[in-house]
């Protein structure tokens, strides 16, 4: 993974717990920075439910705090990438790259997104091809069976 290690390295449970504790302590009056920090920790998690919660929190920040939008874009892209929502990940990441074309993290994430989409596209083509071949074989067997009668 090399330079992409950051994408896949979660926080230690005790580190995430510190962020969660601060978020919960602030309750209904949670600050934007505290919410962002907690969402960041959740996005880095390997737990799908936590990743989804992180994306939800970042989406709230993105909508309610326009001054924090650019900061949210990368982590919204990363969270959606980790969840397999590649179209959403690409949309957020491309928006960030429009504002910051030299952003190396975003450029690296873009190549990861492109690689995943290409691999899944090839898998999809292979599955469709396999189904078509199987249907052709079954069809020919049925046709041969029908001709013998």
């Amino acid at each position: 993974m090399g330079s992409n290690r950051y994408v896949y390295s979660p926080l230690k449970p005790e580190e995430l717990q510190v962020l969660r504790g601060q978020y919960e302590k602030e309750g209904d009056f949670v600050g934007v920075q505290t919410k962002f920090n907690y969402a960041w920790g959740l996005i880095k998690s390997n737990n799908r439910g936590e990743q989804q919660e992180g994306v939800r929190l970042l989406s709230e920040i993105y909508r309610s705090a326009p001054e924090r939008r650019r900061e949210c874009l990368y982590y919204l892209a990363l969270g959606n990438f980790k969840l397999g929502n590649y179209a959403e990940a690409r949309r957020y990441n491309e928006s960030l790259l429009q504002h910051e074309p030299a952003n190396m993290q975003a450029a690296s994430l873009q190549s990861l997104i492109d690689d995943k989409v290409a691999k899944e596209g090839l898998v999809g083509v292979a599955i469709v091809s396999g189904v078509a071949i199987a249907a052709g074989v079954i069809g020919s067997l049925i046709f041969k069976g029908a001709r013998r009668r």
Side-chain angles (χ1 to χ4, degrees), residues 123-136:
V123 168
V125 167
I127 290 170
V128 169
S129 298
V131 168
I133 290 169

Side-chain angles (χ1 to χ4, degrees), residues 4-41:
N4 298 320
R5 182 180 37 214
Y6 177 80
V7 169
Y8 298 103
S9 59
L11 296 180
K12 293 178 184 149
E14 55 273 13
E15 293 170 327
L16 184 58
Q17 188 53 46
V18 168
L19 297 174
R20 181 179 288 118
Q22 185 63 38
Y23 175 79
E24 291 172 351
K25 184 175 130 188
E26 292 184 25
D28 291 338
F29 303 103
V30 66
V32 173
Q33 187 62 49
T34 299
K35 190 182 224 182
F36 180 87
N37 292 346
Y38 182 46
W40 167 80

Side-chain angles (χ1 to χ4, degrees), residues 3-4 6-7 36 68-78 92-113:
S3 65
N4 298 320
Y6 177 80
V7 169
F36 180 87
R68 302 297 291 266
R69 284 186 178 156
R70 281 177 52 189
E71 194 176 0
C72 290
L73 286 172
Y74 176 77
Y75 293 103
L76 282 166
L78 179 60
Y92 286 119
N93 204 56
E94 285 176 352
S95 182
L96 176 58
L97 285 168
Q98 284 177 349
H99 295 291
E100 299 177 16
N103 185 316
M104 296 308 292
Q105 269 189 318
S108 177
L109 182 56
Q110 190 66 39
S111 68
L112 284 175
I113 294 167

Side-chain angles (χ1 to χ4, degrees), residues 57-68:
L57 292 173
L58 283 170
S59 295
E60 287 176 7
I61 295 168
Y62 186 84
R63 284 191 302 276
S64 66
E67 70 281 4
R68 302 297 291 266

